Amino acid sequence: MSEIVYPPVIKTALGVFKALNIRVRLEGTDQIPRTGGAVLVSNHVSYLDFIFAGLAAYPAGRLVRFMAKKEIFDSRVGGPLMRGMHHIPVDREAGASSYAAALKALKSGEIVGVFAEATISRSFTVKDIKSGAVRMAVAGKVPLIPVAVWGPQRMWTKGRKRRLLQRNVPVAVLVGEPLYPKRGDDYDQVTRDLRAAMSALLEKAQREYPDVPRPGETWWQPAYLGGSAPTPGEAEKLDLQEAEARKAARGSGA
């Protein structure tokens, strides 16, 4: 597979991080296999997560093919980059083709990245996840690798203005031990185990994070640590309201 786009994009991103003094802490990267397929499953706190979660595989010399919503590929700017990096478009109305493309990538030895929560978590905790990632790993006969990302929400997340040029933001990327689901397992239980592993990694990243919010900035801290982010219950209600508003807009042709 030709890699004309992906390596320069990583090099550029690392250069920007250095210029902005964005300190990326990578932990557990030895859990990423040096060869063969794997499903990398990350939490989702920002619009930048695919950049940082992808760095989890960088020390192993691997590239991650992320599954991302089709709308990004339709963008004039983002589309060519996403296709050039061989990421996988997800059309929610034609999910079978996305699944088939991801499975093909896994069987050819690629690492496929998945945000199993589907949308950004407003509470900055791990939302409920479905068993799709587990089923994909079983079908591809590859491991599941839990990952937690923390920090990028300060630069760009749902409901907040972009602050892409913010300096001195620490970012943590923690990789957990792989899970090896197999055919015949209780996929729902494996999914619960995966979510528990992701939650433990995320809580570790949050509790060990070197910065604390300044006055007026507590929105990026989860409620359980004293921040003003919505609780999981409040976040779920907001998500439902947003989904209903989108549905109504589609129905009105807006």
Side-chain angles (χ1 to χ4, degrees):
M1 186 181 292
S2 175
E3 298 295 353
I4 298 173
V5 178
Y6 213 150
V9 167
I10 293 175
K11 187 174 181 180
T12 300
L14 292 174
V16 170
F17 297 161
K18 184 176 181 180
L20 295 175
N21 194 33
I22 293 175
R23 297 155 283 159
V24 182
R25 168 195 170 197
L26 297 174
E27 182 178 301
T29 57
D30 57 321
Q31 303 289 356
I32 303 291
R34 298 240 167 210
T35 60
V39 179
L40 185 152
V41 189
S42 175
N43 70 310
H44 204 3
V45 295
S46 83
Y47 293 107
L48 305 174
D49 292 339
F50 75 97
I51 298 173
F52 293 102
L55 290 180
Y58 189 66
R62 306 295 305 276
L63 299 173
V64 182
R65 315 299 176 182
F66 282 97
M67 300 186 75
K69 61 184 181 180
K70 178 180 175 291
E71 288 79 3
I72 300 175
F73 292 78
D74 294 336
S75 164
R76 274 194 313 173
V77 176
L81 285 174
M82 296 294 281
R83 287 187 290 273
M85 290 185 280
H86 307 293
H87 294 313
I88 301 167
V90 175
D91 185 344
R92 290 174 182 170
E93 295 181 359
S97 62
S98 305
Y99 181 87
L103 194 55
K104 181 179 178 181
L106 289 173
K107 290 183 175 181
S108 66
E110 299 283 357
I111 297 178
V112 172
V114 176
F115 294 106
E117 297 166 279
T119 58
I120 289 172
S121 170
R122 301 173 191 262
S123 68
F124 303 136
T125 60
V126 181
K127 299 195 296 184
D128 287 339
I129 61 177
K130 295 184 179 180
S131 62
V134 174
R135 295 175 185 277
M136 193 184 302
V138 171
K141 298 180 180 179
V142 299
L144 276 170
I145 304 174
V147 172
V149 176
W150 184 243
Q153 78 280 4
R154 296 174 62 184
M155 293 179 278
W156 190 15
T157 193
K158 183 175 287 189
R160 294 283 169 177
K161 290 183 179 180
R162 282 177 288 185
R163 302 164 72 177
L164 299 179
L165 298 181
Q166 186 175 358
R167 298 178 57 83
N168 307 317
V169 175
V171 173
V173 182
L174 277 57
V175 185
E177 294 185 8
L179 285 72
Y180 297 90
K182 60 185 182 302
R183 200 171 300 279
D185 285 350
D186 181 338
Y187 295 166
D188 289 337
Q189 182 58 55
V190 178
T191 300
R192 287 191 288 269
D193 293 343
L194 173 62
R195 181 176 180 272
M198 293 166 61
S199 295
L201 289 169
L202 179 57
E203 182 172 346
K204 183 176 189 291
Q206 290 169 336
R207 291 191 181 280
E208 296 177 355
Y209 195 67
D211 284 6
V212 295
R214 295 176 296 181
E217 291 284 313
T218 59
W219 61 264
W220 61 259
Q221 188 82 302
Y224 84 92
L225 287 178
S228 57
T231 65
E234 292 167 343
E236 185 177 4
K237 290 179 181 178
L238 290 170
D239 287 343
L240 287 172
Q241 291 170 4
E242 183 181 63
E244 289 171 359
R246 282 200 306 267
K247 184 178 179 181
R250 286 196 299 269
S252 66

